[in-house]
């Protein structure tokens, strides 16, 4: 059974998350304190098309002109403004004419945060890696306007594997080294400055039963920001492995997590905790120093988890996957803060660390209210004369109406008295005519204030009763005559 929680959350802290799906859509989800911390989709960028499926995404989350890099299934790489979704640059794939381009999709993408030229804010550097291991490092200058051409300042291509398929690619925080791994590809580290391999992992030995586990890495991440020598990899055989380049080539630590492949791994800022998600929707935090499972996040996902993102400032993480939900979790309590249904299968999620809830509230605040001076002027011009005129006219009219009402009341009192006397006479006549049945009829009657419609119904009933009595008396007299 899925794990559930009974603890009610107060909502999400103010945040902004961008998600990417299999139809190529980019959706912006925001949680604002003004709305009680409930995340809602505020923008949607792009048109749905299966060939535009987002395979990899990376962001340069700077304060001025933040950029978003997206690798699509068609082989096109797009640079988009993460503020309004405007397309800045569209780069065609280098192997688009190749016959095997459909099997050689981009699986790794990284947009460098540091600039090659500090004076130019329009320059950026991209690292891409395909399934066949073709890595490309390119530097380009962004055009001033969308219609201008893009110039490639530098481009270097090399192959990171001789055989197998690359499935994961990760760049360290200092952006000096890159990690590659995949199916049949052991984890290896490359120096991006010299484009040379500096380290390669060694496969673990056979287990106690003599069974060798084939190499199949599905995700990997560096453990510490300042040290690129320690990193963690997740395998298709639901194993989590810790490597230390300074110790040995084989895993320093290895443990199993559940029974399905590991699909996503991300590190925490403390350098000791990792968050892992698998193909059955389990999400957990692990202390990688001891391999101890700190706990599973409450509320199991109903589909495979494909991406986990740690917010740089807030104590929350976001997860998304094939169940089409974006989920926000609290790190300390491991409670589900909120879940947003986004309709399509999701592939990636990133946070906007510079989201300011106060600026958004000010920009989308209520319309400006009229000033007090304007209200006083309008009231002085409109309301006083109308009120005075109504009072002057109403006095004389009220006096006339009061006189008329007095006359009407006197007439109505006389009419009511006459009606009462008539009703009393009619009741006495009915009692004399009906005899013993009069008591029952009196009980069924309503009080003196009977409507004319009800009086008519009563008179009809009395006539029917009289007719029935007359018929009975005639029949009895006829029978007696016949007997005589």
């Amino acid at each position: 059974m899925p794990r559930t929680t009974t603890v009610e959350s107060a909502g999400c802290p103010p945040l902004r998350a961008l998600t990417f799906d299999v139809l190529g859509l980019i959706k912006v989800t925001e949680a604002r304190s003004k709305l009680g911390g409930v995340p809602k989709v505020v923008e949607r960028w792009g048109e749905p098309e299966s060939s535009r499926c987002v395979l990899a995404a990376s962001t340069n989350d700077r304060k001025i002109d933040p950029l978003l890099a997206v690798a699509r299934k068609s082989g096109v790489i797009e640079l988009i403004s993460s503020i309004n979704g405007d397309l800045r640059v569209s780069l065609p794939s280098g192997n688009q004419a190749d016959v095997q381009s459909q099997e050689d999709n981009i699986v790794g993408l990284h947009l460098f945060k540091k600039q090659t030229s500090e004076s130019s804010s329009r320059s950026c550097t991209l690292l891409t890696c395909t399934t066949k291991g073709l890595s490309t490092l390119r530097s380009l200058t962004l055009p001033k306007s969308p219609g201008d051409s893009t110039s490639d300042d530098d481009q270097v291509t090399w192959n990171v594997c001789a055989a197998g398929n690359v499935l994961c690619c990760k760049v360290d925080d200092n952006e000096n080294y890159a990690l590659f791994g995949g199916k049949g590809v052991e984890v290896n580290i490359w120096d991006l400055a010299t484009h040379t391999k500096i380290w390669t992992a060694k496969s673990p030995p056979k287990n106690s039963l003599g069974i060798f586990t084939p190499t199949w890495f599905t995700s990997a991440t560096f453990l510490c920001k300042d040290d690129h020598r320690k990193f963690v990899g997740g395998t298709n055989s639901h194993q989590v492995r810790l490597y230390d380049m300074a110790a040995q080539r084989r895993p320093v630590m290895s443990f199993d997590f559940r029974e399905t492949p590991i699909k996503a791994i991300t590190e925490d800022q403390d350098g000791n905790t990792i968050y892992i998600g698998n193909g059955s929707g389990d999400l957990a935090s692990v202390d990688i120093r001891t391999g101890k499972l700190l706990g599973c996040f409450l509320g199991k996902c109903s589909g495979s988890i494909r991406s986990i993102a740690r917010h740089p400032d807030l104590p929350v993480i976001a997860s998304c996957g094939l169940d089409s939900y974006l989920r926000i979790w609290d790190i300390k309590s491991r409670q589900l803060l909120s879940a947003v249904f986004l309709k399509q299968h999701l592939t990636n999620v990133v946070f906007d660390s510079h989201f300011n809830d106060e600026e958004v509230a000010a920009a989308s605040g209520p319309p400006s209210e009229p000033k007090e001076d304007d209200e006083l002027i309008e009231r002085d011009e409109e309301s006083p004369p109308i009120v005075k005129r109504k009072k002057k006219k109403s006095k004389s009219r009220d006096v006339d109406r009061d006189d008329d009402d007095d006359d009407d009341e006197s007439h109505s009192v006389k009419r009511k008295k006459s009606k009462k006397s008539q009703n009393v006479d009619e009741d006495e006549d009915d009692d004399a005519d009906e005899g013993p049945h009069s008591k029952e009829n009196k009980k069924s009657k309503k009080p003196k204030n009977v409507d004319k419609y009800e009086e008519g119904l009563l008179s009809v009933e009395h006539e029917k009763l009289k007719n029935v009595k007359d018929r009975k008396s005639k029949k009895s007299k006829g029978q007696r005559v016949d007997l005589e």
Side-chain angles (χ1 to χ4, degrees):
M1 288 180 64
R3 295 175 300 278
T4 57
T5 175
T6 58
V7 180
E8 295 184 0
S9 174
C12 295
L15 54 85
R16 184 172 186 258
L18 287 79
T19 55
F20 312 86
D21 58 37
V22 295
L23 292 182
L25 298 176
I26 303 173
K27 297 180 181 179
V28 182
T29 304
E30 292 182 0
R32 304 173 185 174
S33 57
K34 185 178 179 181
L35 301 176
V38 179
K40 292 184 179 180
V41 179
V42 295
E43 290 184 75
R44 193 189 78 167
W45 302 335
E47 296 297 330
E49 188 178 348
S50 60
S51 63
R52 292 173 56 82
C53 171
V54 178
L55 301 177
S58 179
T59 179
N60 185 357
D61 196 16
R62 56 193 180 188
K63 291 184 179 180
I64 301 173
D65 192 19
L67 288 177
L68 187 68
V70 173
R72 301 192 181 273
K73 189 177 181 180
S74 59
V76 178
I77 300 172
E78 295 179 353
L79 292 178
I80 303 171
S81 172
S82 58
I83 297 177
N84 51 20
D86 293 341
L87 179 64
R88 302 292 298 276
V89 177
S90 180
L91 302 173
S93 175
N95 60 348
Q96 194 169 4
D98 191 0
V99 177
Q100 297 180 352
S101 61
Q102 294 182 356
E103 300 177 359
D104 196 14
N105 294 321
I106 296 175
V107 294
L109 175 65
H110 181 78
L111 180 61
F112 284 73
K113 297 179 181 179
K114 63 181 182 180
Q115 301 173 3
T116 56
S117 175
E118 295 181 358
S119 60
S120 176
S121 62
R122 294 187 296 108
S123 63
C124 63
T125 305
L126 280 172
L127 174 66
T128 60
C129 182
T130 64
T131 306
K132 299 301 180 182
L134 186 64
S135 298
T136 304
L137 184 66
R138 65 174 71 181
S139 299
L140 50 92
T141 303
L142 301 178
K144 295 182 180 179
S145 60
D148 297 341
S149 60
T150 306
S151 60
D152 289 345
D153 300 335
D154 190 14
Q155 182 173 340
V156 181
T157 302
W158 72 95
N159 203 332
V160 298
C161 65
N165 296 326
V166 177
L167 299 178
C168 56
C169 171
K170 185 71 175 181
V171 177
D172 68 327
D173 286 348
N174 295 324
E175 298 181 335
N176 296 323
Y177 302 94
L179 179 153
F180 302 94
K183 185 178 181 181
V185 180
E186 285 290 345
V187 180
N188 51 82
I189 307 295
W190 288 73
D191 188 346
L192 297 178
T194 60
H195 313 108
T196 57
K197 186 190 293 185
I198 62 174
W199 188 84
T200 304
K202 189 176 181 179
S203 301
K206 296 180 181 179
N207 59 12
S208 59
L209 299 176
I211 299 173
F212 174 75
T213 303
T215 301
W216 193 338
F217 286 91
T218 56
S219 57
T221 184
F222 287 94
L223 188 60
C224 185
K225 293 182 178 180
D226 301 328
D227 189 4
H228 69 280
R229 295 175 296 178
K230 293 181 180 180
F231 55 91
V232 182
T235 67
N236 191 67
S237 57
H238 56 86
Q239 280 188 345
V240 180
R241 299 175 183 175
L242 172 64
Y243 290 88
D244 189 354
M245 294 172 57
Q248 60 186 21
R249 293 176 58 189
R250 281 180 172 168
V252 177
M253 181 187 299
S254 179
F255 60 90
D256 293 340
F257 177 71
R258 296 289 187 267
E259 298 179 356
T260 53
I262 306 297
K263 292 296 183 180
I265 290 181
T266 190
E267 76 283 358
D268 196 84
Q269 295 176 352
D270 59 3
N272 300 320
T273 307
I274 61 171
Y275 305 98
I276 54 179
N278 62 6
S280 60
D282 295 297
L283 182 63
S285 57
V286 178
D287 187 350
I288 200 61
R289 294 173 296 182
T290 59
K292 181 181 179 181
L293 182 68
L294 298 178
C296 290
F297 287 79
L298 302 178
K300 184 177 178 180
C301 305
S302 57
S304 174
I305 297 175
R306 294 305 171 92
S307 180
I308 304 172
R310 168 71 162 89
H311 197 282
D313 301 323
L314 302 173
V316 297
I317 62 172
S319 67
C320 67
L322 300 186
D323 62 350
S324 305
Y325 274 93
L326 168 66
R327 289 180 168 88
I328 310 296
W329 312 83
D330 182 68
I331 291 175
K332 297 178 182 179
S333 62
R334 290 188 289 276
Q335 301 287 335
L336 177 64
L337 298 180
S338 185
V340 184
F341 182 65
L342 298 177
K343 298 182 181 180
Q344 285 84 24
H345 297 330
L346 303 177
T347 57
N348 284 279
V349 58
V350 295
F351 277 115
D352 182 4
S353 61
H354 299 292
F355 175 70
N356 193 346
D357 186 33
E358 296 178 358
E359 292 180 0
V360 173
S364 62
S368 59
E369 299 179 354
K371 297 181 180 179
E372 294 181 358
D373 298 337
D374 298 336
E375 291 182 354
L376 292 173
I377 292 169
E378 291 177 359
R379 289 175 183 174
D380 292 339
E381 290 178 356
E382 296 178 1
S383 58
I386 294 171
V387 174
K388 287 180 181 179
R389 287 178 184 172
K390 284 184 179 179
K391 285 181 179 179
K392 287 180 181 179
K393 291 182 179 181
S394 61
K395 285 181 180 179
S396 59
R397 291 180 180 175
D398 293 339
V399 172
D400 297 335
R401 287 177 182 173
D402 293 337
D403 296 337
D404 296 336
D405 293 338
D406 295 335
D407 298 335
D408 295 336
E409 287 178 0
S410 61
H411 289 297
S412 62
V413 170
K414 293 180 181 179
R415 289 174 183 172
K416 287 179 181 178
K417 289 181 179 180
S418 62
K419 285 182 180 180
K420 287 180 181 179
S421 60
Q422 290 177 1
N423 291 331
V424 171
D425 297 336
E426 289 177 358
D427 293 337
E428 291 177 354
D429 296 336
D430 293 336
D431 294 336
D433 295 334
E434 292 175 4
H437 297 285
S438 61
K439 292 182 180 180
E440 295 178 1
N441 291 331
K442 283 182 182 180
K443 290 181 181 179
S444 63
K445 286 182 183 179
K446 291 184 178 181
K448 297 179 181 179
N449 52 351
V450 180
D451 297 337
K452 292 182 179 180
Y453 179 72
E454 294 181 354
E455 291 177 358
L457 292 176
L458 292 172
S459 61
V460 171
E461 290 178 358
H462 294 322
E463 291 179 358
K464 288 182 179 180
L465 291 171
K466 289 179 181 180
N467 293 331
V468 170
K469 288 179 180 180
D470 294 339
R471 289 177 184 174
K472 287 182 179 180
S473 60
K474 289 180 181 179
K475 284 181 181 180
S476 61
K477 287 180 182 180
Q479 289 176 358
R480 289 175 183 174
V481 171
D482 294 335
L483 290 172
E484 289 175 358

